[in-house]
């Protein structure tokens, strides 16, 4: 089972945005770090892009089961169906993420504290700083 820590952020809201993720194998070894500049987006859009990129990479790595760790309570609760999607800019990203979930046998989502997501956060900041 892959463990993927995701993050997204924007300077200003909206503003220059980035997504970052760190993918670990079942033994806890880092197998991939990804940092993507997204252009002008909101924090929540960037968080969703982090999830979408993570799911695409997990599929590419032929994972059957994935654990997703995010410090975005909104994203985790929307994906789990606990919160409604009210923002029209988030809805299409949600639809893409839900579509990608069907390619896995099992995907677990965990909302974690920001302090436990420092590596992914660094990758977000790196992506934004390169714009």
């Amino acid at each position: 089972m892959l463990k993927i820590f995701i993050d997204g952020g924007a300077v200003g809201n909206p503003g220059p945005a980035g997504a970052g993720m760190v993918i670990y194998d079942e033994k806890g070894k880092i197998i991939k770090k990804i940092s993507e500049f997204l252009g002008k987006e909101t924090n929540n859009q960037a968080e969703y892009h982090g999830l979408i990129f993570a799911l695409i990479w997990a599929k590419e790595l032929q994972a059957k089961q994935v654990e997703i760790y995010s410090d975005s309570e909104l994203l985790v609760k929307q994906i789990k169906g606990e919160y409604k999607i009210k923002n029209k800019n988030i809805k299409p990203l949600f639809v893409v993420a839900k579509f990608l979930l069907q390619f896995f046998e099992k995907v677990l989502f965990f909302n974690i504290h920001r302090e436990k997501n420092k590596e992914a956060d660094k990758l977000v900041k790196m992506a934004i700083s390169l714009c």
Side-chain angles (χ1 to χ4, degrees):
M1 177 174 295
L2 294 180
K3 291 184 178 186
I4 307 176
F5 287 73
I6 64 170
D7 201 8
V11 178
N13 202 18
M21 68 221 68
V22 182
I23 304 174
Y24 296 86
D25 67 13
E26 55 280 341
K27 294 178 183 173
K29 179 184 169 205
I30 294 175
I31 55 176
K32 193 140 197 80
K33 288 184 178 184
I34 300 145
S35 179
E36 291 285 337
F37 178 68
L38 303 171
K40 185 177 179 182
E41 293 198 340
T42 66
N43 286 321
N44 292 332
Q45 287 173 300
E47 295 280 2
Y48 265 94
H49 275 104
L51 172 59
I52 290 166
F53 292 145
L55 293 172
I56 290 169
W57 273 104
K59 186 177 179 305
E60 181 76 20
L61 294 167
Q62 300 179 356
K64 302 272 188 228
Q65 299 181 2
V66 181
E67 292 179 355
I68 303 285
Y69 295 85
S70 172
D71 58 26
S72 171
E73 178 182 341
L74 180 76
L75 178 140
V76 171
K77 293 204 174 204
Q78 284 178 337
I79 289 291
K80 287 182 170 184
E82 296 173 25
Y83 287 176
K84 291 182 180 177
I85 296 102
K86 298 177 182 175
N87 184 300
K88 65 179 174 66
N89 296 319
I90 295 297
K91 201 161 237 167
L93 297 171
F94 172 83
V95 169
V96 170
K98 287 301 251 187
F99 171 78
L100 290 168
L101 289 174
Q102 73 181 335
F103 292 102
F104 303 94
E105 292 172 3
K106 183 177 185 180
V107 181
L108 300 173
F109 286 88
F110 300 95
N111 183 221
I112 58 173
H113 290 279
R114 213 171 275 259
E115 304 84 50
K116 295 190 178 198
N117 209 18
K118 288 183 180 180
E119 285 299 312
D121 183 61
K122 283 181 196 174
L123 293 166
V124 169
K125 289 177 180 163
M126 186 173 74
I128 294 170
S129 72
L130 296 175
C131 68

